[in-house]
Amino acid sequence: MPFRNVFKNIFHYKALYGALLAWFVYVPEKSAFSESSSLMTYLGLVMYVIGITFNTYIYLIQRSLRPAGTTKRQITSGYEFSYVTCPNYMFQTLNWLGVLLVSRNWSVLLSIVVAVEQMKAWANKKEARYLFEFSGVYIPKKYGTIPGIL
């Protein structure tokens, strides 16, 4: 990882997710959870569970592709990988959209926008790396993170 990414990561994970979300979502007197029985809350919880479950599933697939102690890369494949280069980013976005529906807070939306932009950049780099490393074998994807959108 380039050294400049340290500062970007500190901002993203500490400032956006740590301070901003903690203050506007988790502080009891500022909480948006008063309407906890609404349909939007339940939909958000379902989206969160689906997103986190499939995100974990994708990471397990990716982890199984590299034999222990090697740097060998393989092309990821499977149903989810047919639509986007990085389905883990798609499910992570779904996960955070669920958090947004539950919290109904602008700070979560801001965090999602920043995260999606970063994941889009990472997906584009991964797509380019696949095209370079697996030239002639890899079938390029039209979208990197979210089918039909990004």
Side-chain angles (χ1 to χ4, degrees):
M1 175 189 313
F3 184 70
R4 71 181 188 288
N5 284 5
V6 170
F7 299 105
K8 184 170 46 172
N9 288 344
I10 287 172
F11 170 76
H12 184 85
Y13 292 110
K14 304 298 184 200
L16 279 179
Y17 286 136
L20 192 65
L21 289 182
W23 180 256
F24 287 103
V25 176
Y26 302 120
V27 173
E29 56 270 6
K30 294 189 178 292
S31 180
F33 296 109
S34 57
E35 302 173 29
S36 61
S37 63
S38 74
L39 179 63
M40 193 179 297
T41 299
Y42 292 122
L43 179 62
L45 289 172
V46 168
M47 288 170 65
Y48 176 83
V49 169
I50 290 171
I52 201 78
T53 301
F54 279 97
N55 194 20
T56 302
Y57 171 69
I58 296 300
Y59 279 123
L60 291 173
I61 289 173
Q62 290 172 331
R63 187 179 82 179
S64 72
L65 290 175
R66 183 173 290 174
T70 69
T71 58
K72 180 182 175 188
R73 294 185 193 269
Q74 296 182 42
I75 300 173
T76 51
S77 62
Y79 179 72
E80 301 83 2
F81 295 96
S82 302
Y83 300 106
V84 293
T85 307
C86 300
N88 51 315
Y89 298 156
M90 174 178 62
F91 291 120
Q92 189 169 347
T93 303
L94 179 66
N95 171 6
W96 278 103
L97 288 173
V99 172
L100 177 63
L101 289 181
V102 171
S103 69
R104 299 173 196 87
N105 191 282
W106 67 270
S107 64
V108 177
L109 180 61
L110 176 64
S111 296
I112 291 171
V113 168
V114 171
V116 166
E117 275 301 310
Q118 183 61 60
M119 290 186 288
K120 178 181 147 192
W122 289 336
N124 290 341
K125 287 179 185 177
K126 185 176 232 177
E127 181 75 14
R129 189 173 64 234
Y130 278 172
L131 288 169
F132 177 75
E133 287 182 25
F134 304 108
S135 179
V137 177
Y138 178 71
I139 300 168
K141 307 292 188 311
K142 189 172 182 179
Y143 302 103
T145 54
I146 301 171
I149 300 173
L150 298 172

